Amino acid sequence: GEETWEELRLLAEVQDNFMTYEIYDDVITLRLVQEACKMLDVTSEVVLKLFGEYFFSFCKMSGYDTMLRTLGGNLVEFIENLDALHSYLALSYQEMNAPSFRVERTNDGRTLLHYYSDRKGLHHIVPGIIEAVAKDFFGSKVTMTILEQPEEEERTGKKEHVIFLMTQTNEGAKTETLPNDKNWAEQKDIAGKVMLSRSICHSTIRFIIRPDRVPHSFCPSYPKRLWIEEKAFCNAFPFHIVFDQDLTVKQTGVNIQKFVPGLQRTGNRLDEYFIVVHPEVTLNIHSIKKFINSQFVLKTKREMLPQSFQNQSMLKLRGQMVWMESLCCMVYLCSPKLRSLQELEERGLHLADIAQHDTTRDLILLNQQRLAEIELSNQLERKKEELRILSRNLEVEKKKTETLLYAMLPRHVANQLKEGKKVEAGEFKVCTILFSDVVTFTNICAACEPIQIVHMLNSMYSKFDRLTNVHDVYKVETIGDAYMVVGGVPIPKDTHAERVANFALGMRIAAREVTNPITGQPIQIRVGLHTGPVLAGVVGEKMPRYCLFGDTVNTASRMESHGVPDHIHLSPFTYRALKDKMFDIRERGEIQVKGKGLMTTYFLLQNLKLSEKQIMGKGKEETLPEQFVRRHVDVMSFEGRFFGLMRPKFSFLAIRLNVAHISS
């Protein structure tokens, strides 16, 4: 699945996307194989063989099914024509470095498969492919074993050469039984209408009906003499070369002479004017006979051409070698190897130079369109990849935006606003509200640089914000040095008072870790708590804020403003909610509270059940990423400090007595 691929990709340190028409280094493949072996605890031979089986299925699913099925009527023919298929595909995939295959029948009846490749370490893919082909196309079971990996003397360059022994069983399992007489007459009539012919320029019209339904008694008829003039032959096949065992050129087509003028004279050697591009063998008669079933690609030598031709791209010829035993000569039936009209022009050729019967003319025109389609496909894939990257980046930014939005508004409220819905105000029958501020904050502001205040508030709010996640309380706002949270809103909780009380104890501990920039001593805070009903809702459209309304907000603010430094001041309602909850609470006595008259208040001293470490949530996971919290607090602290310096502190207290709102 995708998760396994993602894990494998990360272990192999490869990119997560691959373009269809782009060539990639085999190092990537080998890395993936190496890591897959570790993940699956199997050998590389097993992984590569499975890869070969899947590669065959992938090729069929990618639209090459019919092309592969028509390569040959049996497994040997299929393999012998693989090089021709690779040559065709190379017209579209110019950088493709395909392997080469050669089938050998030994005197003792064994079938050997010779595999040649520049790409070392991948030969174990071959058994997976060949065995899958044999099973799917020919209904036979093939077992392939490695006999040896010799040094190939005929081939040039450092090639990997692996010889496989192919053992084939159940061959012809798909072949139908011999038909009865009545059916045979009908089939014979059909077969008589089918002509199987092979053009001399290696174009082949294969069976139109099933091979097993063609009469096996067919025997070709050859003329006693060749009814064609030498001149007509050289004009009809303008690209052909006849040479003997010593590579001495005996005959050439008219266009070979046109583009390689030196071959107008007989007696020159073939290897003086050409080098072998494919298969990569030494140019001698022995090597050619050994690879007689392969397509041969020859390339002209620049230094042997006239000066006027040397600035052009060198001519490449592709075709078939045919050995003529009676003449002890080899005929090379070929055509120019071209991918596009541009290459045709670069070599100084025209379509008129190619024989009318030669399908190379059509192939160039078709491939010109194919190359245009590939380029368009490449552009679409690149755009698709760019969109994928943009979409992924957009998703990351969307998550950041949602994280910030959820920090500003309750999650369910934010989701409703995102969907364009109206958020109705809600009444909460009971909740606990906390206010805190820094003692002598106005004096600190007067004596310090603004940046020092920002650093101090940032340090303090970072610690407080972390504690809101630890105790699951909702941060309502920060205004200057004032900090407001609520428990039981927006999600009602029976433990709202305990949560806010533990949060307050954590605030007091955290504040001792923040330094006063004037004295260098820990700062002191006042904390006030009150429990009661509130009304909560979203106010505004341009910058909506989740606000709390009601006398409970005012009373909580009074508890903070009438509090004592480094103490947590409780209203009698909060005291009643906490008195049986394992908290150490001390009565303060009656005090005069502005707007409330006489009230008996209390100080929260400690939690008798939880340690300081537990209250601070050391080792617990945070809901918000620390990086986000820090960035959020930096912005908020600066905003709060800006307003704090512009207005007297008492004005903030007056504001928060009436409405508490969200400050991002």
Side-chain angles (χ1 to χ4, degrees):
E2 289 296 328
E3 293 181 358
T4 305
W5 161 249
E6 186 65 17
E7 180 184 356
L8 178 61
R9 183 186 70 79
L10 293 174
L11 289 172
E13 298 179 347
V14 301
Q15 65 266 39
D16 61 346
N17 194 58
F18 296 90
M19 307 291 284
T20 303
Y21 297 103
E22 189 168 333
I23 306 298
Y24 294 92
D25 198 305
D26 285 334
V27 173
I28 295 176
T29 305
L30 296 175
R31 276 189 202 159
L32 290 170
V33 170
Q34 183 180 6
E35 295 302 331
C37 292
K38 294 178 182 177
M39 289 178 64
L40 301 174
D41 193 23
V42 295
T43 63
S44 60
E45 290 83 353
V46 173
V47 173
L48 288 171
K49 184 174 180 181
L50 289 172
F51 174 78
E53 294 176 5
Y54 178 78
F55 180 72
F56 171 64
S57 300
F58 174 77
C59 289
K60 291 201 301 177
M61 291 186 295
S62 300
Y64 293 97
D65 183 38
T66 304
M67 185 183 295
L68 291 171
R69 287 182 183 276
T70 55
L71 281 184
N74 56 56
L75 184 60
V76 172
E77 288 183 358
F78 177 91
I79 296 172
E80 287 179 339
N81 283 278
L82 277 177
D83 281 13
L85 175 63
H86 290 152
S87 178
Y88 164 74
L89 294 176
L91 296 175
S92 301
Y93 305 90
Q94 188 173 12
E95 302 299 324
M96 184 175 72
N97 186 10
S100 181
F101 298 91
R102 178 170 66 88
V103 179
E104 178 187 357
R105 295 279 193 180
T106 61
N107 295 330
D108 55 3
R110 296 188 304 168
T111 303
L112 305 182
L113 172 61
H114 294 259
Y115 164 83
Y116 306 91
S117 177
D118 281 330
R119 306 157 68 183
K120 291 192 174 182
L122 300 177
H123 59 273
H124 292 289
I125 295 176
V126 177
I129 297 176
I130 299 301
E131 290 176 14
V133 169
K135 181 179 179 181
D136 192 293
F137 287 172
F138 307 108
S140 58
K141 182 179 179 182
V142 170
T143 304
M144 300 187 65
T145 54
I146 298 176
L147 285 185
E148 57 179 319
Q149 295 178 250
E151 293 292 332
E152 187 73 11
E153 295 180 358
E154 287 85 356
R155 297 179 67 86
T156 58
K158 296 181 180 179
K159 297 290 181 181
E160 182 175 48
H161 179 197
V162 182
I163 302 176
F164 295 93
L165 172 63
M166 294 199 307
T167 306
Q168 187 171 358
T169 58
N170 302 327
E171 188 169 8
K174 287 188 176 181
T175 304
E176 298 178 3
T177 56
L178 192 65
N180 56 42
D181 293 340
K182 181 179 179 181
N183 290 337
W184 175 250
E186 296 175 357
Q187 293 159 9
K188 184 177 181 182
D189 181 64
I190 295 172
K193 298 177 182 179
V194 179
M195 298 185 65
L196 306 177
S197 62
R198 179 185 297 268
S199 72
I200 199 165
C201 64
H202 75 272
S203 298
T204 307
I205 303 175
R206 297 305 303 229
F207 298 121
I208 301 176
I209 63 174
R210 289 176 59 93
D212 54 350
R213 299 195 178 190
V214 178
H216 295 289
S217 59
F218 170 76
C219 184
S221 174
Y222 297 103
K224 293 182 179 180
R225 53 164 292 192
L226 191 62
W227 290 89
I228 187 169
E229 297 177 347
E230 292 84 350
K231 184 177 179 180
F233 185 89
C234 290
N235 284 314
F237 302 101
F239 292 95
H240 81 272
I241 306 174
V242 177
F243 55 93
D244 63 14
Q245 298 183 88
D246 298 323
L247 303 184
T248 302
V249 176
K250 300 294 185 180
Q251 174 183 316
T252 57
V254 292
N255 283 341
I256 288 283
Q257 301 172 28
K258 177 180 177 181
F259 292 100
V260 188
L263 293 181
Q264 284 186 297
R265 302 182 304 274
T266 59
N268 292 318
R269 287 177 56 87
L270 183 69
D271 55 356
E272 292 178 354
Y273 289 87
F274 293 94
I275 59 173
V276 181
V277 176
H278 181 272
E280 295 186 19
V281 297
T282 306
L283 188 52
N284 57 55
I285 205 70
H286 174 71
S287 298
I288 294 174
K289 284 183 177 181
K290 190 171 184 178
F291 292 88
I292 195 74
N293 290 322
S294 299
Q295 278 195 350
F296 276 78
V297 178
L298 302 185
K299 180 180 178 181
T300 54
K301 291 184 177 181
R302 189 178 299 274
E303 63 273 13
M304 298 302 293
L305 299 180
Q307 189 66 35
S308 58
F309 287 11
Q310 291 188 7
N311 295 327
Q312 298 176 351
S313 297
M314 292 297 98
L315 177 66
K316 287 184 180 179
L317 301 174
R318 177 183 61 191
Q320 176 185 9
M321 296 285 187
V322 179
W323 176 249
M324 299 177 290
E325 187 66 37
S326 61
L327 300 177
C328 290
C329 287
M330 187 79 71
V331 57
Y332 179 42
L333 302 165
C334 57
S335 301
K337 186 176 184 294
L338 302 166
R339 296 178 68 244
S340 63
L341 294 174
Q342 181 182 354
E343 289 189 4
L344 188 78
E345 290 181 326
E346 289 174 352
R347 286 157 179 76
L349 288 164
H350 300 85
L351 286 177
D353 294 320
I354 303 172
Q356 294 281 352
H357 63 80
D358 194 340
T359 55
T360 301
R361 297 165 62 102
D362 300 324
L363 193 60
I364 294 171
L365 296 174
L366 289 172
N367 202 57
Q368 182 73 23
Q369 181 181 358
R370 169 68 173 160
L371 291 175
E373 292 173 354
I374 289 175
E375 179 57 30
L376 179 60
S377 178
N378 276 331
Q379 292 178 11
L380 290 174
E381 279 201 77
R382 284 193 289 268
K383 293 298 181 184
K384 181 181 177 181
E385 176 62 11
E386 290 174 6
L387 287 175
R388 189 185 70 85
I389 295 172
L390 288 174
S391 177
R392 185 175 60 187
N393 293 338
L394 180 61
E395 190 64 28
V396 172
E397 295 302 321
K398 181 181 176 184
K399 288 182 179 179
K400 290 180 182 178
T401 303
E402 288 180 347
T403 303
L404 182 58
L405 182 62
Y406 293 149
M408 295 173 60
L409 297 170
R411 183 176 290 267
H412 71 282
V413 172
N415 289 336
Q416 285 181 291
L417 291 175
K418 279 170 38 179
E419 294 170 4
K421 297 179 181 178
K422 184 178 180 180
V423 181
E424 299 292 339
E427 183 178 355
F428 296 84
K429 293 183 178 180
V430 62
C431 68
T432 300
I433 296 177
L434 174 149
F435 276 99
S436 74
D437 71 347
V438 178
V439 178
T440 68
F441 181 68
T442 304
N443 296 335
I444 295 173
C445 291
C448 294
E449 295 293 329
I451 191 64
Q452 293 177 292
I453 305 301
V454 170
H455 289 323
M456 182 189 76
L457 291 178
N458 182 50
S459 175
M460 181 177 70
Y461 287 161
S462 296
K463 300 177 188 300
F464 291 174
D465 285 349
R466 192 187 71 84
L467 288 172
T468 61
N469 300 312
V470 172
H471 298 289
D472 194 19
V473 293
Y474 181 69
K475 174 185 174 182
V476 181
E477 68 168 344
T478 57
I479 302 177
D481 64 320
Y483 197 92
M484 177 184 176
V485 300
V486 61
V489 177
I491 301 175
K493 292 183 176 68
D494 294 335
T495 57
H496 57 88
E498 297 97 299
R499 292 176 182 275
V500 176
N502 285 325
F503 174 77
L505 292 170
M507 290 179 76
R508 189 172 62 179
I509 297 169
R512 295 168 186 164
E513 300 175 1
V514 181
T515 303
N516 185 324
I518 299 176
T519 64
Q521 299 297 317
I523 63 170
Q524 291 185 318
I525 62 171
R526 293 180 300 187
V527 183
L529 278 70
H530 178 61
T531 302
V534 295
L535 184 69
V538 176
V539 176
E541 293 183 357
K542 184 175 182 180
M543 191 172 182
R545 297 176 182 267
Y546 191 69
C547 301
L548 304 182
F549 302 91
D551 189 62
T552 300
V553 179
N554 297 339
T555 305
S557 179
R558 292 286 185 260
M559 290 298 100
E560 176 260 312
S561 60
H562 289 71
V564 178
D566 203 30
H567 282 69
I568 301 170
H569 197 198
L570 306 180
S571 72
F573 296 93
T574 305
Y575 167 72
R576 284 196 288 271
L578 295 175
K579 66 178 181 178
D580 298 324
K581 306 294 185 181
M582 299 298 292
F583 286 96
D584 185 7
I585 302 174
R586 187 185 72 193
E587 183 179 337
R588 180 183 184 184
E590 283 192 348
I591 62 170
Q592 184 70 33
V593 178
K594 184 179 179 181
K596 300 296 179 182
L598 290 175
M599 290 182 66
T600 301
T601 59
Y602 303 83
F603 288 128
L604 174 62
L605 302 180
Q606 62 178 331
N607 187 315
L608 300 174
K609 189 176 181 180
L610 300 179
S611 66
E612 285 192 3
K613 186 175 181 180
Q614 289 173 310
I615 288 174
M616 295 302 291
K618 300 295 185 181
K620 287 189 177 182
E621 293 288 338
E622 296 185 31
T623 305
L624 294 177
E626 184 178 351
Q627 184 180 6
F628 164 76
V629 172
R630 188 167 298 278
R631 186 184 306 151
H632 171 64
V633 171
D634 282 339
V635 175
M636 300 330 323
S637 300
F638 181 80
E639 181 184 2
R641 178 60 195 131
F642 174 77
F643 285 107
L645 293 176
M646 294 300 293
R647 300 181 184 179
K649 183 180 175 184
F650 65 83
S651 65
F652 295 114
L653 296 176
I655 292 172
R656 72 178 183 229
L657 289 177
N658 296 306
V659 177
H661 62 271
I662 300 171
S663 175
S664 49

